Amino acid sequence: MIDGSTGVCALLGDPVEHTLSPFIHNSLAECEKINSVYTAFRVRRGDTGTVLKGAGAMGIRGFNVTVPHKEDVIPYLCDIDEEAAKIGAVNTLCLKEGGYKGYNTDAAGFMREIRECGFDIRGEKVIMLGAGGAANAVLHALYSLGVSGVYILNRSVERAFEKFGGDKRNRILSLSDYEEIEGDGYFCVQCTSVGLFPDTGAAPIEEEGFYKKINRAVDIIYNPSETAFMKRIKQVGGTAVNGLDMLLFQAVESFRLFHDRDVSESTIDLVREKLKERVYGRS
Ligand code: ATR
């Protein structure tokens, strides 16, 4: 029941119509018996400063931030978490004295998914496909997990070079130059938007020779549940998971920051099932 003491959290983005964040956060609050609601606001570029000023005055407890505001909201924060500052993007804001503090839970969400899959990538050279918005947090997470280097393959080599070329541990290649990666047995994370519903037949690289280099993979896409990239990995005997747990775990970490409490494993399992039903329908 919404009453006079119900807390409010929300997503800020543009567009927001298809977001799953309200579904996840309201399910978490219901399971954890927290008196809080979560909604979504479409906010145009340039309006985030005004929004945060008003929201802070109204005591809105927290926000998630998505495209196109993950970077442009930073100047309006009163503080930023060290990890989020290194990534250069925030996806979570929490109300503090004097304004909102920014965090990035995308990296934590990805790290938790990798750990829970049992993928131990410490000390390995790994492969990342893509250099867009999602790649920033993933790359940060890969190094936090202890990888020794990352082959970054992107359609636009210039974009990848501009963003990630400054770190000598990264080797930037075009998607077609995958043969320069020596040997096999690699972990690979797919961060491009290729294969996303409704374009489900497409994979960022078509050649089987690429997939033979990989034995473990994560596609951060979660719709469809098995992308063309994942299918190709499985066809050559590898293990591949989608990004649904990353989505769930980043929300769980944001929820922990909003409400200052951990979410129980049983709640996570319950919400995961509800989320699967919502995204994929009854199986
Ligand atoms: P996001 O915030 O979801 O990462 P983005 O910033 O637009 O979205 O990045 C999308 C990623 O998918 C980029 O790596 C993009 O490659 P470019 O940097 O060359 O644009 C990649 N991508 C999108 N469409 C692609 C396609 N048809 N083939 C290969 N890569 C593609």
Side-chain angles (χ1 to χ4, degrees):
M1 250 298 267
I2 295 175
D3 60 21
S5 55
T6 302
V8 178
C9 296
L11 176 72
L12 304 179
D14 187 13
V16 294
E17 287 78 11
H18 300 291
T19 178
L20 289 164
S21 292
F23 181 81
I24 300 173
H25 279 271
N26 289 320
S27 300
L28 290 170
E30 190 187 332
C31 291
E32 293 288 309
K33 299 190 170 45
I34 288 183
N35 187 8
S36 184
V37 293
Y38 188 109
T39 185
F41 295 115
R42 180 182 182 195
V43 173
R44 306 294 171 105
R45 240 183 228 284
D47 283 344
T48 42
T50 317
V51 166
L52 291 192
K53 209 165 168 219
M58 287 161 66
I60 294 190
R61 192 175 290 170
F63 291 105
N64 284 121
V65 183
T66 189
V67 179
H69 303 308
K70 285 187 175 188
E71 291 164 35
D72 73 16
V73 78
I74 293 175
Y76 304 104
L77 304 176
C78 69
D79 195 6
I80 184 164
D81 172 70
E82 206 182 308
E83 194 172 42
K86 279 190 200 146
I87 296 168
V90 297
N91 77 328
T92 303
L93 312 181
C94 292
L95 186 59
K96 307 281 176 194
E97 281 294 318
Y100 287 92
K101 178 172 179 179
Y103 302 83
N104 190 310
T105 69
D106 290 327
F110 177 73
M111 285 165 73
R112 187 161 174 186
E113 171 159 17
I114 295 293
R115 283 200 206 96
E116 298 213 357
C117 285
F119 294 158
D120 184 358
I121 56 177
R122 272 173 302 175
E124 293 185 18
K125 274 207 157 94
V126 300
I127 303 169
M128 180 172 85
L129 302 183
N136 293 33
V138 167
L139 187 63
H140 181 85
L142 289 172
Y143 283 117
S144 300
L145 287 164
V147 307
S148 61
V150 182
Y151 288 101
I152 302 174
L153 277 60
N154 199 46
R155 179 177 58 180
S156 158
V157 175
E158 297 73 38
R159 182 185 193 189
F161 213 85
E162 222 167 80
K163 288 181 71 175
F164 305 127
D167 186 335
K168 293 282 167 281
R169 297 172 298 177
N170 298 332
R171 171 118 190 257
I172 318 278
L173 295 170
S174 72
L175 292 169
S176 54
D177 281 343
Y178 68 84
E179 278 171 352
E180 291 193 27
I181 301 172
E182 283 172 22
D184 53 24
Y186 286 92
F187 168 84
C188 177
V189 51
Q190 199 303 104
C191 302
T192 78
S193 48
V194 182
L196 193 61
F197 181 85
D199 194 13
T200 55
I205 296 174
E206 294 295 342
E207 291 87 339
E208 193 183 52
F210 171 69
Y211 295 95
K212 283 187 171 160
K213 293 185 175 296
I214 298 160
N215 60 10
R216 294 147 298 156
V218 176
D219 193 327
I220 70 163
I221 292 173
Y222 56 82
N223 193 11
S225 66
E226 187 173 79
T227 61
F229 169 84
M230 290 167 62
K231 281 198 181 101
R232 282 170 170 77
I233 299 277
K234 289 179 183 177
Q235 273 161 8
V236 294
T239 309
V241 297
N242 69 26
L244 196 76
D245 266 354
M246 178 180 173
L247 173 76
L248 177 60
F249 291 141
Q250 65 75 29
V252 164
E253 181 59 14
S254 294
F255 189 92
R256 191 182 68 76
L257 291 166
F258 293 154
H259 305 294
D260 199 22
R261 62 179 277 173
D262 287 323
V263 177
S264 68
E265 288 299 324
S266 59
T267 291
I268 292 175
D269 289 343
L270 212 82
V271 174
R272 183 188 289 108
E273 288 315 307
K274 286 176 68 158
L275 184 59
K276 279 186 182 165
E277 198 180 311
R278 169 91 175 203
V279 183
Y280 310 128
R282 278 183 200 281
S283 50

